């Protein structure tokens, strides 16, 4: 739904809305008749909430489309992810509190391993430690010199870093250099248009110098870059929907996504318990809370069915703390599916429930994929309509038309 | 669905289609595990029809959007309510058989009560009688003089009246003067654009004179205006869908909506029985009948759960008369939900069933919200697709493409 359309109907009141995102929550059974991770999990509290909620499955982007973290979150934030596209570089920058300026070009980098022929043998350099990453970034920052451009190389986490180029008339319209496959060389920096551009030349120079500096390092002896982009100029979430909005996320990417749409990012620890602590602590100060749980996705990507189940159960255990705060509307969902049998993000619809006093509950008694098919939101609810529906349930929308 | 697209596929035959709209039919349970008004009602005939129908829930405008009567009806008439928007003034004019001419500006008025400081204390002046309204309108018509403009003030019902300004180069692009809240002054007439315009000045003069004339009246001592608009120029329902079309509605607003899309408005009494009498009497003359039942909505707005249930039961009792006429297609639905627990229109999907010999029935046995979730139309069927589906079921649509 068009954000401007909703924005005109928005009114303010004292209600509170919580959006609880379990990253990659949607799953698959290991065998045809088996249970998905969410179905397997013992989720007494989520199930109790489901009986009082309207349930369904949501489509983050479009049928058959596997969303990255960006589009997956923009959808549940009420932004059409096809209309509102942003590069990974910008997200990475926001996620580590890098103060991106207008005109800066940001890219996400991986430290990787290449062999003597220059072919990539590990795209993540064995997931080097964050400490090692810091050391390498410092080295690159110190040594790389490109005339006319200021170069920032900042640690994100493990093998991930952020590259920012600051200079005049730079372009974010560049291809990734990450070949996404082993046994291939990093790709030549080049423009999306195929035309010659000075930014592509600058990136070439950066990669060349970085390769030389890292040559004798092990295992991180090269860099891969992706998601070149500039910061977009979008309607903000708090203004569009009329809510003072806070984000609680242990991982930088999701803090970045929340910041991008104008939410305040709250201080939190890394555990689920600490995230719920942050909600309690800030409850009075905000109308809207986005809570992000990362590890459902991480374990899904690792193919670790049992640990993904455990994370769901851990969230379930904390849920009563949220209920005790008596939010007017709660949405529980994910940004996409990450079935542990696939070990990656997938296109499958994502379980969702929306609780409010006025939600008109359906007959779903267990928060799981198969049961949600029969829910009142339907099996293909557009993710971008969740925020409008939450606003309606919080009585924050005016009637449309006479 | 685009009206032009459907229009090109339309063909004529002798089939008859009935659209039975119970205004605000969708509801909510009073407690989480309770029944909605429709679920509570004993509806032997509606249930029997449901077993032979394809059922579901329809979305009048979009997920989370609470429709006014205009958008709600335009949706079930097959018009996308976001694309086809019309002001309340025009609807009110059509609803009382006021012969609106091109260029006229219409607005809906409320007689209201203001205190000595000019602050609104009752937006409906205690819902004065229609008789009193007529007296006041006559007074205003007689006394108000604005150079260069003909002014019509016509009674609608209770506290509601119609204002029409007739003159050269008038604009309908004006803000409401109704502050929508108690304790505030009526708003100054002004243009939507913020620019100076003579129509705003004319309305200012009208309000000034009306205030002076009504000064000593009790309780209706002021007027509030909203929905300034001109009659739109849309494709008509009978031409677009190839059906001689009739509307039976006891209340002016709904006659107005039907007229707006080009339906013939038939003479009827105020009771449900009289509305069904009108269907019988005119059965041979039309291909399509829109029947409007108002009181499901009125009792919903009053918060009267039991009376809303009774109205549904009254409709159920009359239904066999409709069945005896053997229509080829019957749609039973509402224009929006009006849960008695909310006492107002709401965003909830609206129960719908479509009967025809060829409808492919589902497993729904009772016409109620929860059961309809599992129906063949799904829990989120777009209202604007109901007419195309009815045409298909009446074999009034050609195949698309070779």
């Amino acid at each position: 739904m068009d954000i401007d359309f909703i924005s005109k109907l928005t009114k303010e009141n004292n209600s509170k809305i919580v959006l609880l995102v379990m990253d990659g929550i949607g799953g698959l059974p290991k065998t045809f008749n088996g249970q998905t991770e969410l179905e397997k999990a013992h989720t007494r509290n989520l199930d109790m909430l489901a009986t009082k909620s309207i349930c369904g499955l949501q489509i983050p982007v479009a049928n058959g489309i596997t969303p990255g973290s960006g589009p997956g979150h923009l959808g549940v934030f009420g932004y059409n992810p096809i209309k509102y596209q942003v590069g990974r570089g910008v997200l990475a920058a926001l996620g580590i509190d890098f103060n991106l300026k207008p005109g800066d070009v940001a890219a996400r980098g991986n430290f990787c391993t290449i062999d003597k022929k220059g072919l990539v043998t590990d795209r993540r350099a064995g997931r080097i430690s964050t400490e090692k990453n810091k050391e390498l970034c410092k080295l690159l920052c110190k040594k790389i010199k490109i005339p006319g451009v200021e170069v920032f190389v900042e640690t994100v986490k493990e093998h991930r870093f952020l590259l920012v180029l600051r200079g005049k008339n730079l372009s974010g319209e560049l291809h990734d250099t990450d070949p996404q496959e082993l046994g291939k060389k990093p790709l030549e920096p080049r423009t999306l248009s195929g035309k010659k551009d000075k930014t592509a030349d600058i990136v070439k120079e950066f990669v060349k110098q970085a390769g030389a500096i890292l040559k004798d390092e092990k295992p991180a002896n090269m860099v891969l870059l992706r998601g070149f982009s500039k910061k977009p100029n979008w309607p903000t979430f708090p203004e569009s929907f009329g809510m003072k909005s806070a984000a609680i996320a242990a991982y930088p990417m999701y803090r970045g996504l929340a910041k991008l749409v104008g939410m305040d990012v709250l201080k939190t620890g890394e555990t689920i318990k600490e995230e719920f602590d942050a909600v309690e602590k800030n409850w009075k100060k905000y109308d809207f809370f986005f809570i992000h749980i990362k590890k459902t996705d991480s374990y899904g990507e690792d193919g670790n069915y049992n640990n993904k189940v455990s994370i769901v159960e851990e969230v379930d255990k904390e849920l009563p703390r949220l209920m005790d705060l008596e939010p007017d509307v709660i949405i529980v969902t994910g940004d996409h599916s990450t079935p542990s049998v696939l070990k990656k993000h997938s296109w499958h619809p994502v379980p969702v429930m929306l609780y409010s006093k006025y939600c008109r509950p359906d007959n779903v008694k267990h928060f799981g994929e198969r049961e949600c098919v029969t829910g009142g939101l339907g099996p293909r609810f557009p993710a971008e309509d969740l925020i409008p529906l939450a606003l309606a349930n919080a009585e924050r929308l005016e009637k449309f038309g006479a």
Side-chain angles (χ1 to χ4, degrees), chain A residues 105-140:
Chain A
V105 170
R108 176 164 159 181
N110 271 15
F111 288 108
C112 70
T113 312
I114 55 173
D115 63 15
K116 280 172 190 166
K117 292 176 192 156
L119 309 177
V120 176
T121 58
D122 186 338
R123 287 178 51 245
R124 299 181 184 92
R127 291 188 188 266
I128 54 166
S129 70
T130 303
E131 282 318 299
K132 181 69 187 172
N133 179 317
K134 282 180 185 167
E135 192 185 299
L136 297 178
C137 284
K138 204 173 277 178
L139 202 64
L140 293 177

Side-chain angles (χ1 to χ4, degrees), chain A residues 225-238:
Chain A
L225 301 169
R226 44 189 171 137
F228 288 94
S229 46
K230 293 181 169 183
K231 187 179 172 183
N233 187 21
W234 294 344
T236 74
F237 186 97

Side-chain angles (χ1 to χ4, degrees), chain A residues 117-345:
Chain A
K117 292 176 192 156
L119 309 177
V120 176
T121 58
D122 186 338
R123 287 178 51 245
R124 299 181 184 92
R127 291 188 188 266
I128 54 166
S129 70
T130 303
E131 282 318 299
K132 181 69 187 172
N133 179 317
K134 282 180 185 167
E135 192 185 299
L136 297 178
C137 284
K138 204 173 277 178
L139 202 64
L140 293 177
C141 275
K142 192 175 145 194
K143 294 200 170 174
I144 288 180
K145 304 285 172 214
I146 305 175
V149 197
E150 210 174 340
V151 177
F152 301 85
V153 187
E154 305 275 338
T155 296
V156 174
K157 204 167 187 174
E158 296 172 343
H159 55 286
R160 301 186 203 107
F161 68 86
L162 166 73
L163 169 67
V164 174
L165 303 172
R166 182 168 294 163
K168 276 186 186 149
N169 302 320
L170 298 181
S171 159
E173 308 282 301
L174 300 176
H175 275 287
D176 293 352
T177 73
D178 185 342
Q180 294 279 351
E181 273 179 77
L182 301 186
K184 296 204 169 168
K185 283 191 182 182
L187 305 173
E188 273 291 276
R190 65 190 205 284
T191 62
L192 294 180
S193 66
K195 289 181 189 159
K196 215 178 136 46
D197 177 88
K198 75 163 180 176
T199 319
D201 294 335
I202 290 166
V203 175
K204 258 184 229 171
E205 185 58 29
F206 170 80
V207 171
K208 191 179 138 195
Q209 293 188 26
I213 294 162
L214 299 172
K215 195 160 54 79
D216 299 323
E217 292 288 337
K218 275 179 191 168
N221 61 358
M222 187 31 105
V223 295
L224 298 174
L225 301 169
R226 44 189 171 137
F228 288 94
S229 46
K230 293 181 169 183
K231 187 179 172 183
N233 187 21
W234 294 344
T236 74
F237 186 97
E239 277 175 29
S240 300
F241 303 127
M243 297 188 287
K244 198 155 187 287
S245 305
I248 294 157
Y251 277 60
M253 168 68 82
Y254 312 96
R255 292 198 292 268
L257 280 158
K259 252 188 235 172
L260 186 69
V261 297
M263 294 182 200
D264 289 354
V265 171
L266 303 183
K267 210 171 134 61
T268 182
E270 293 232 343
T271 67
I272 295 170
K273 188 190 160 298
E274 286 168 320
E275 292 193 320
F276 279 80
D277 288 346
V279 179
E280 285 173 349
K281 198 172 155 192
N282 294 279
W283 187 246
K284 292 205 172 141
K285 285 186 249 166
Y286 291 91
D287 305 311
F288 176 88
F289 292 83
F290 155 57
I291 310 170
H292 182 264
I293 310 292
K294 173 62 183 168
K295 289 196 172 160
T296 30
D297 176 63
S298 317
Y299 284 124
E301 293 214 323
D302 292 346
N304 194 332
Y305 181 98
N306 291 337
N307 280 15
K308 189 174 168 192
V309 169
S310 301
I311 296 296
V312 175
E313 291 175 347
E314 196 178 330
V315 172
D316 188 73
K317 227 174 60 189
E318 300 292 334
L319 194 69
R321 295 175 60 192
L322 189 61
M323 302 308 295
D324 286 348
L325 297 169
E326 300 185 352
D328 297 275
V329 180
I330 307 174
I331 295 172
V332 182
T333 190
D335 55 337
H336 53 74
S337 294
T338 308
S340 52
V341 299
L342 283 175
K343 298 188 183 185
K344 58 187 178 189
H345 293 197

Side-chain angles (χ1 to χ4, degrees), chain A residues 20 22 25 35-55 312-313 315-317 319-320 323 330 332 351-355 361-372:
Chain A
L20 174 59
M22 288 188 268
I25 186 64
Q35 290 176 301
T36 67
E37 299 89 328
L38 184 59
E39 288 168 352
K40 178 76 175 178
H42 291 281
T43 52
R44 195 172 165 273
N45 298 308
L46 286 165
D47 292 349
M48 206 184 314
L49 188 59
T51 63
K52 295 193 273 183
S53 295
I54 183 164
C55 300
V312 175
E313 291 175 347
V315 172
D316 188 73
K317 227 174 60 189
L319 194 69
M323 302 308 295
I330 307 174
V332 182
V352 54
M353 62 176 154
L354 184 150
Y355 160 82
D362 46 38
N363 287 319
V364 174
K365 308 286 181 222
H366 177 83
F367 189 51
E369 285 83 348
R370 278 186 195 77
E371 273 215 38
C372 282

